[in-house]
Amino acid sequence: DELVVATDGFTAVEASTKDIPSDAASFVTTGYSAPADYGSAQYGEIENTGPLRTGHILTNEGSRRWVPTQKVLSPLMFGARRSADPENPFNSGPMFVECLRQAALQKAHVRIDDEFDLAGGFRIPFGSHITWDSGAWTRQIKRSTPGGFLLTNGLGLDGATWLPLSERRGIILENPQIDGSRYPLVKGVVQSGATNTSIPLDATASSVDDFYNGDIIQITTGAASGISSWGTITDYDGASRTAIVAAGIGGGGSPAAGSQYRIGYNDPAILFGFGTQDTVISGGTIKNLPWVRDVAYGYGSKAINVEQGHTNCLIESMTFDNCGVGVFLTGRAGNWATADTQNPPRVDVAIK
């Protein structure tokens, strides 16, 4: 059945003035009496007989009757907005986070109904059901913490409490639309005075403090270069354009002046973290995650990464376009710091 949503948005109160097309069996409101008042819901049609009860809506001049069938939230309700300008994107990340949090609290469905540019990585609460409209591309424009763009782990809704394995379950992602074309990739030349933990960048680098914090820097030519010659930037001084790598560049060497560097990251688009259970990804497209954009290259390009201990994961009818790896399974045994056993993941994959 067709899902009808007015492009200008209408509330449940305003719905009574609408004429819903005859072939539509449902519609979604943007709120109850005002957009973004958290009263958004999907309405389904019922027989137009009997008394008009609380929650019922009459449309088409009173000839059709509707009742809420599911509560629906969208990032637009929390102030997110489309940003079509790749040079000056609007970061809808905080609004996206609040939408996911409120949906978990209210046991609501999340509907991604527009294109959003998001700075950071976003933890999907357990029990989430998220649907993307076709063409509603979600793009990561900046990394915040290592892991994945959309990810699960063992943490609860408060982001601090580790959940028991029995509660790390139940995520449905329908028609995900994820585009990696705006993952930042910075290239430049190391300046003189570099050490293993302090690397002065060239004049093309940002002059903003902390701009590259959390990103990975890799030395690709000259001394201290190689596939393991990378590290995470822990601090960045914009005035001197110096990147601090507290743990040092892999291999222990100091980059020579004139060596080339790359700054970026290699997080998967979707990460189902350790111990997650009962997940479904149905349909959708993940695109533009080629290995040549990875920092460090050779470690990423994963559209979907399923970690150890995962059981009952179904990935069906997905399209992977220009991705180094479609689905990557992590399957080593051992124990986590929380003493949970790491079992090789059991994953049922159907890709058409």
Side-chain angles (χ1 to χ4, degrees):
D1 295 328
E2 183 180 354
L3 185 65
V4 176
V5 182
T7 55
D8 57 348
F10 61 81
T11 66
V13 172
E14 295 168 336
S16 61
T17 66
K18 304 297 180 180
D19 286 327
I20 305 300
S22 59
D23 60 348
S26 61
F27 64 84
V28 172
T29 60
T30 62
Y32 181 72
S33 59
D37 68 4
Y38 302 167
S40 177
Q42 180 173 326
Y43 285 78
E45 189 171 15
I46 62 172
E47 187 177 0
N48 191 13
T49 60
L52 194 64
R53 301 185 183 280
T54 301
H56 289 197
I57 293 177
L58 295 178
T59 66
N60 300 70
E61 298 182 346
S63 64
R64 302 180 71 180
R65 184 179 301 201
W66 311 80
V67 295
T69 57
Q70 187 174 50
K71 192 169 184 62
V72 181
L73 299 182
S74 163
L76 292 172
M77 297 172 59
F78 298 86
R81 70 171 186 258
R82 180 180 183 181
S83 179
D85 182 0
E87 300 299 324
N88 187 30
F90 176 79
N91 175 25
S92 291
M95 302 80 174
F96 195 85
V97 168
E98 183 61 13
C99 179
L100 294 179
R101 191 179 76 87
Q102 287 291 339
L105 290 171
Q106 302 179 42
K107 300 188 184 305
H109 187 103
V110 174
R111 180 166 176 259
I112 309 300
D113 49 1
D114 211 331
E115 296 188 58
F116 298 116
D117 294 329
L118 310 176
F122 302 92
R123 187 166 47 85
I124 305 171
F126 293 106
S128 293
H129 187 166
I130 306 173
T131 300
W132 281 255
D133 288 358
S134 293
W137 292 104
T138 304
R139 302 181 179 92
Q140 188 178 25
I141 57 173
K142 184 75 173 69
R143 187 193 208 199
S144 58
T145 56
F149 179 32
L150 302 178
L151 72 152
T152 69
N153 52 28
L155 293 174
L157 194 58
D158 62 3
T161 304
W162 287 95
L163 297 175
L165 287 174
S166 61
E167 296 181 21
R168 303 179 195 176
R169 65 191 326 135
I171 290 177
I172 300 175
L173 306 179
E174 289 189 76
N175 195 39
Q177 310 273 291
I178 301 175
D179 179 8
S181 63
R182 295 186 189 173
Y183 273 39
L185 175 61
V186 177
K187 298 180 181 180
V189 177
V190 176
Q191 303 301 292
S192 60
T195 69
N196 183 253
T197 59
S198 179
I199 304 171
L201 309 183
D202 65 23
T204 63
S206 173
S207 60
V208 178
D209 285 344
D210 303 328
F211 188 80
Y212 299 116
N213 287 11
D215 288 352
I216 295 172
I217 183 169
Q218 183 176 29
I219 309 303
T220 59
T221 65
S225 66
I227 192 169
S228 63
S229 299
W230 57 272
T232 300
I233 298 173
T234 52
D235 194 19
Y236 179 72
D237 180 69
S240 64
R241 293 182 169 81
T242 299
I244 303 299
V245 182
I249 295 293
S254 296
S259 299
Q260 295 181 355
Y261 63 80
R262 292 155 48 100
I263 297 175
Y265 42 87
N266 55 26
D267 299 335
I270 297 174
L271 170 66
F272 285 150
F274 47 81
T276 305
Q277 306 172 63
D278 303 332
T279 57
V280 175
I281 305 178
S282 181
T285 299
I286 299 176
K287 65 180 183 179
N288 296 324
L289 291 174
W291 73 268
V292 294
R293 292 185 59 85
D294 281 350
V295 182
Y297 48 68
Y299 287 88
S301 303
K302 307 177 184 82
I304 300 172
N305 187 5
V306 181
E307 288 193 337
Q308 57 269 34
H310 193 301
T311 57
N312 298 327
C313 173
L314 175 63
I315 302 170
E316 61 177 356
S317 302
M318 287 210 68
T319 298
F320 303 105
D321 182 8
N322 192 28
C323 296
V325 179
V327 180
F328 183 87
L329 309 183
T330 305
R332 63 183 179 85
N335 291 305
W336 298 304
T338 55
D340 294 329
T341 300
Q342 295 176 339
N343 296 313
R346 186 179 79 235
V347 185
D348 302 316
V349 181
I351 301 174
K352 301 178 181 178

